[in-house]
Amino acid sequence: KQEVTQIPAALSVPEGENLVLNCSFTDSAIYNLQWFRQDPGKGLTSLLLIQSSQREQTSGRLNASLDKSSGRSTLYIAASQPGDSATYLCAVRSGNTGKLIFGQGTTLQVKP
Amino acid sequence: DAGVIQSPRHEVTEMGQEVTLRCKPISGHNSLFWYRQTMMRGLELLIYFNNNVPIDDSGMPEDRFSAKMPNASFSTLKIQPSEPRDSAVYFCASTLRAGGPRDTQYFGPGTRLTVL
């Protein structure tokens, strides 16, 4: 059974700092992996999607990497801003169905 | 597009009452998902539909929970009877086609359910 873990559960950094969020999964036979952002009281917004054959994806200040063999993904946020404060969740899709398995999320606070 | 629409946004009810949550997916999307989010268990998939047909309901916790999708633009999640442990935020999400190579799910704002 696939399990997804995110560490740390919470993170607080000063504005401008570069940071890394971690995601690990137990079954390396994944179809793809996604990173989502969730603002308080809101739904989830997809940030990046990495196919199993890819090593990384970039969007603006965000870079997500994937190492299937070790069951790990990282989300790198460059030059963090207070607007980046949110909960970040990673989700793994293990087959060609739409079923996603989510981690518990990392709550990020960027202080001005 | 207005995105995925959920109603109500907040629901407070008493134990034993029936609760119905509603979802309107993005127009043209063929797959719809119902999730539940709690502090203890995180975000869990309850059920999903392809072309209005339930595909995987293995996450539905008990027979008290039921979901329907009578047409491509509307789905309901019903809890009868409700219990305090059902208190959670329930999300609906839709995507063009579940299982597609670049399948990205678009989430609604959620319904916060409190069962007293």
Side-chain angles (χ1 to χ4, degrees), chain B residues 1-6 23-26 29 32 92-94 106-109:
Chain B
D1 198 314
V4 176
I5 299 173
Q6 291 187 248
C23 175
K24 177 178 168 55
I26 292 174
H29 281 190
L32 182 142
C92 177
S94 71
Y106 294 84
F107 281 73

Side-chain angles (χ1 to χ4, degrees), chain A residues 56-72:
Chain A
E56 64 179 279
Q57 280 286 330
T58 297
S59 175
R61 295 183 292 109
L62 305 180
N63 176 277
S65 68
L66 175 65
D67 183 342
K68 260 195 355 175
S69 61
S70 66
R72 297 173 69 175

Side-chain angles (χ1 to χ4, degrees), chain B residues 35-96:
Chain B
Y35 291 91
R36 178 172 66 176
Q37 187 176 40
T38 61
M39 288 292 292
M40 288 296 295
R41 299 175 65 90
L43 198 63
E44 302 173 285
L45 177 67
L46 300 177
I47 185 171
Y48 84 91
F49 297 82
N50 274 352
N51 297 316
N52 313 337
V53 176
I55 301 300
D56 185 342
D57 65 355
S58 59
M60 295 286 264
E62 303 172 28
D63 290 346
R64 298 185 296 108
F65 285 69
S66 62
K68 294 183 179 179
M69 192 163 187
N71 58 61
S73 59
F74 183 66
S75 177
T76 59
L77 178 67
K78 186 177 294 187
I79 308 173
Q80 167 62 21
S82 58
E83 296 182 3
R85 60 194 167 116
D86 301 331
S87 298
V89 181
Y90 290 82
F91 288 102
C92 177
S94 71
T95 187
L96 195 60

Side-chain angles (χ1 to χ4, degrees), chain A residues 97-111:
Chain A
T97 69
K99 191 168 184 175
L100 295 178
I101 307 297
F102 282 86
Q104 291 276 46
T106 294
T107 298
L108 171 66
Q109 182 184 34
V110 180
K111 298 177 180 177

Side-chain angles (χ1 to χ4, degrees), chain A residues 31-32 34 36 38 41-44 46 49 51 89 93 96-100 102 104, chain B residues 9 33 35 37 40 42-43 45 48 56 58 91 99-105 107-108:
Chain A
Y31 192 80
N32 62 36
Q34 282 185 263
F36 290 85
Q38 185 176 24
K42 302 284 182 63
L44 281 68
S46 180
L49 183 152
Q51 302 291 355
L89 298 102
R93 179 145 73 97
N96 63 354
T97 69
K99 191 168 184 175
L100 295 178
F102 282 86
Q104 291 276 46
Chain B
R9 292 294 312 276
F33 305 77
Y35 291 91
Q37 187 176 40
M40 288 296 295
L43 198 63
L45 177 67
Y48 84 91
D56 185 342
S58 59
F91 288 102
R102 295 208 60 80
D103 163 27
T104 296
Q105 296 181 21
F107 281 73

